[in-house]
């Protein structure tokens, strides 16, 4: 292919080695475009790359990693020969639009999971597994944003007049793809903020429950301190203790203990500690 289409050696080198940043390069009369793809695989976002060679009379795509096949795009536009005849820049737009549109199912799936996390977070504190999942979702969303954001610049250049390979009639089409990418960025930022708020809310719920438990423990400790203190006093072997000689001393002490403990229980209950 390199010999047949005269592809630039640097572009060939990039296409042979994955992990390229989304970009647009111009080599003479040809263009070389790199875009990042994304798919949801077993609850995680799997990323891939598509490298596109565009020149007079040809467009070559090289895929790495996770990516939906472009067979659907090809079959769709081959069924419309009039559209397909509009040129290589039209096919480039169709592929880039397909890549960006495939971001949305990934975001919708994550959005459903984020909503489920929001519903659980106020009911009970997050477990370690929930926190790990939340962290992985935020990290995957950040990686997805890093994959999608550079396409704004790529499509911006494709919709400008600086590239003679792209016809003026195609500029609105690439601007439309740019708008879709910005929508993806906004959804990603929104989901990451919701996940951050969910984590903070979970911490607040956990702290609130710990505070409530501490209040209960402190209340019962105060109530139990009354009979403990009185029993401690009577446990001392003092010689002159009038209450020991009184006929109703023991019942009076028991009644006093119950009265004081009851008052303390009522007060703590009224203040919401018990």
């Amino acid at each position: 292919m390199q010999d047949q289409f005269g592809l630039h050696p640097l572009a060939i080198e990039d296409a042979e080695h994955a992990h390229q940043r989304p970009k647009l390069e111009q080599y003479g009369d040809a263009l070389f475009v790199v875009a990042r793809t994304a798919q949801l695989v077993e609850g995680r976002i799997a990323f891939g790359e598509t490298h596109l060679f565009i020149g007079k009379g040809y467009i070559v795509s090289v895929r790495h990693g996770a990516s939906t096949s472009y067979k659907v795009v090809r079959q769709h536009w081959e069924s419309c020969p009039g559209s397909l005849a509009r040129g290589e820049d039209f096919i480039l737009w169709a592929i880039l639009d397909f890549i960006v549109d495939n971001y949305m199912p990934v975001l919708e799936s994550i959005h459903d999971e984020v909503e489920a996390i929001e519903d659980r977070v106020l009911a009970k504190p997050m477990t370690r597994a929930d926190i790990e999942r939340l962290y992985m979702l935020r990290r995957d969303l950040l990686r997805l944003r890093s994959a999608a954001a550079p396409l704004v610049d790529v499509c911006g250049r494709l919709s400008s007049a600086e590239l003679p390979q792209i016809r003026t009639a195609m500029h609105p089409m690439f601007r439309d793809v740019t708008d879709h990418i910005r929508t993806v960025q906004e959804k990603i930022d929104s989901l990451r903020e919701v996940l951050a708020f969910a984590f903070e809310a979970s911490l607040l719920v956990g702290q609130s429950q710990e505070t409530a438990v501490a209040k209960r423990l402190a209340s019962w400790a105060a109530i139990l301190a009354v009979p403990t203190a009185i029993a401690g006093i009577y446990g001392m072997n003092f010689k002159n203790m009038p209450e020991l000689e009184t006929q109703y001393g023991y019942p009076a002490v028991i009644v006093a203990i119950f009265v004081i403990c009851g008052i303390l229980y009522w007060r703590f209950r009224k203040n919401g500690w018990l």
Side-chain angles (χ1 to χ4, degrees), residues 90-115:
F90 180 84
I91 304 303
L92 173 61
W93 165 82
I95 294 176
L96 290 178
D97 186 61
F98 182 74
I99 290 173
V100 174
D101 286 345
N102 278 334
Y103 292 152
M104 298 307 296
V106 175
L107 290 175
E108 289 172 0
S109 179
I110 293 178
H111 181 267
D112 294 339
E113 186 171 358
V114 169
E115 285 189 339

Side-chain angles (χ1 to χ4, degrees), residues 248-269:
Y248 299 104
Y250 178 75
V253 170
I254 297 298
V255 171
I257 290 175
F258 275 102
V259 170
I260 296 173
C261 289
I263 293 173
L264 288 174
Y265 180 83
W266 172 72
R267 289 294 300 176
F268 288 134
R269 186 84 173 178

Side-chain angles (χ1 to χ4, degrees), residues 95-169:
I95 294 176
L96 290 178
D97 186 61
F98 182 74
I99 290 173
V100 174
D101 286 345
N102 278 334
Y103 292 152
M104 298 307 296
V106 175
L107 290 175
E108 289 172 0
S109 179
I110 293 178
H111 181 267
D112 294 339
E113 186 171 358
V114 169
E115 285 189 339
I117 292 175
E118 279 189 294
D119 294 337
R120 293 197 309 267
V121 72
L122 296 178
K124 60 181 181 179
M126 287 186 175
T127 63
R128 180 181 179 85
D130 291 334
I131 293 175
E132 290 178 353
R133 180 58 181 163
L134 188 149
Y135 173 77
M136 286 190 293
L137 284 175
R138 290 201 70 197
R139 184 176 63 179
D140 285 349
L141 287 172
L142 180 60
R143 292 176 62 196
L144 181 58
R145 194 183 193 285
S146 299
L151 287 178
V152 173
D153 294 333
V154 171
C155 292
R157 290 184 61 190
L158 291 171
S159 60
S160 66
E162 67 173 282
L163 298 175
Q165 297 89 342
I166 308 299
R167 292 167 299 151
T168 305

Side-chain angles (χ1 to χ4, degrees), residues 138 141-142 187-197:
R138 290 201 70 197
L141 287 172
L142 180 60
K187 288 183 177 293
I188 292 172
D189 292 339
S190 175
L191 288 174
R192 295 188 74 241
E193 287 182 5
V194 170
L195 289 173
F197 292 151

